[in-house]
Amino acid sequence: MIDFSNGSVFKLHPASADELGPLVAPLLIPQERVVSCFKAARDFVVFTDKRLIAVNVQGITGKKRDFTSLPYSRIQAFSVETAGTFDLDAELDLWFSGLGKVRLEFKGSSDIRQLGQLVASYVL
């Protein structure tokens, strides 16, 4: 499992659902769909209409992967921080019941407000 307790885990930028969707497709339940995808150097995050799937790519070849499923139903609170003039990164903090705080950092080119609306639509 990914260690979310060490603060920032990912520095994410928008990615194509066509590229990352097939990598998590075997984990999806019937009628679950990929909504948005973000990628770091090797790791990536997929937002579906039911959960957040964080993928930690391991090893030299990258064939070993850890898939962490974080259902929206377990989110107790969330926070969105937009990018600023000098701090060009945006942040999404999610507090999960039984897990605690998960922080995802996004490059300034990411639409963090839209992502906040996405999370709100499934949590509230």
Side-chain angles (χ1 to χ4, degrees), residues 39-92:
K39 187 172 175 140
R42 293 175 51 162
D43 302 331
F44 59 94
V45 175
V46 175
F47 290 84
T48 75
D49 56 349
K50 307 254 183 243
R51 61 186 157 165
L52 163 71
I53 301 171
V55 182
N56 180 7
V57 179
Q58 302 172 357
I60 295 171
T61 63
K63 291 187 183 215
K64 182 175 180 179
R65 295 181 179 148
D66 173 70
F67 296 85
T68 301
S69 178
L70 303 164
Y72 297 134
S73 63
R74 305 295 284 168
I75 295 176
Q76 295 178 317
F78 65 95
S79 170
V80 174
E81 182 179 309
T82 60
T85 303
F86 297 107
D87 180 8
L88 301 177
D89 297 326
E91 297 169 359
L92 174 64

Side-chain angles (χ1 to χ4, degrees), residues 1-2 4-5 68-71 73-77 94-102:
M1 181 168 151
I2 296 173
F4 291 106
S5 64
T68 301
S69 178
L70 303 164
S73 63
R74 305 295 284 168
I75 295 176
Q76 295 178 317
L94 305 163
W95 284 268
F96 286 88
S97 174
L99 178 64
K101 180 179 171 182
V102 171

Side-chain angles (χ1 to χ4, degrees), residues 2 10 18 24 31 38 40 55 79 84 88 103-104 115 117 120:
I2 296 173
F10 300 109
D18 293 335
V24 297
Q31 283 80 47
F38 296 87
V55 182
S79 170
L88 301 177
R103 170 172 281 175
L104 302 172
L115 194 55
Q117 281 185 325

